Amino acid sequence: MPFEWTIRLLPHWLTMITTLLVIFYAWDRCRFRSERTTRDAATRAGVEIGNRLRIEGGVNIILLLGVLTVAFVIRDSAPRSVFSPSMRARGGR
């Protein structure tokens, strides 16, 4: 299979990537403005915003490790073929 067919997709990729970047930039600017407003209001009210870094969602890490474990167990228990994929493509052993 020739590799050159992927180059024809370049204009479509660039269009999608540019569109996504514009959407993400607009979303980020909107969220940044709302956070700045909240921070300024809290400062005027005399409330100190904590600067401690916290990690939330520790349960999600356990679930992710479970999914990865299952993926590796299923992959290792799959039946193995005598022929490699490259041999099948050439039609030989």
Side-chain angles (χ1 to χ4, degrees), residues 2 6-7 32 34 54 65 86-87:
T6 58
I7 296 173
F32 180 74
S34 69
R54 295 182 302 160
L65 290 175
S86 62
M87 289 181 169

Side-chain angles (χ1 to χ4, degrees), residues 6 29-30 34-35 37 48 53 63 65 69 71-72 85 90:
T6 58
R29 294 295 296 171
C30 178
S34 69
E35 288 176 1
T37 305
E48 181 65 31
L53 179 65
L63 294 174
L65 290 175
T69 303
F72 283 114
R90 287 183 275 166

Side-chain angles (χ1 to χ4, degrees), residues 75-86:
R75 190 182 77 183
D76 289 341
S77 66
R80 305 230 184 258
S81 175
V82 183
F83 303 105
S84 70
S86 62

Side-chain angles (χ1 to χ4, degrees), residues 9-22:
L9 297 174
L10 189 61
H12 303 289
W13 288 338
L14 290 176
T15 303
M16 276 312 292
I17 289 171
T18 303
T19 304
L20 285 174
L21 283 175
V22 168

Side-chain angles (χ1 to χ4, degrees), residues 56-70:
E56 295 179 359
V59 174
N60 294 333
I61 293 173
I62 295 170
L63 294 174
L64 179 62
L65 290 175
V67 168
L68 291 174
T69 303
V70 169

Side-chain angles (χ1 to χ4, degrees), residues 1-9 13:
M1 175 178 277
F3 179 74
E4 292 81 24
W5 70 271
T6 58
I7 296 173
R8 290 186 305 206
L9 297 174
W13 288 338

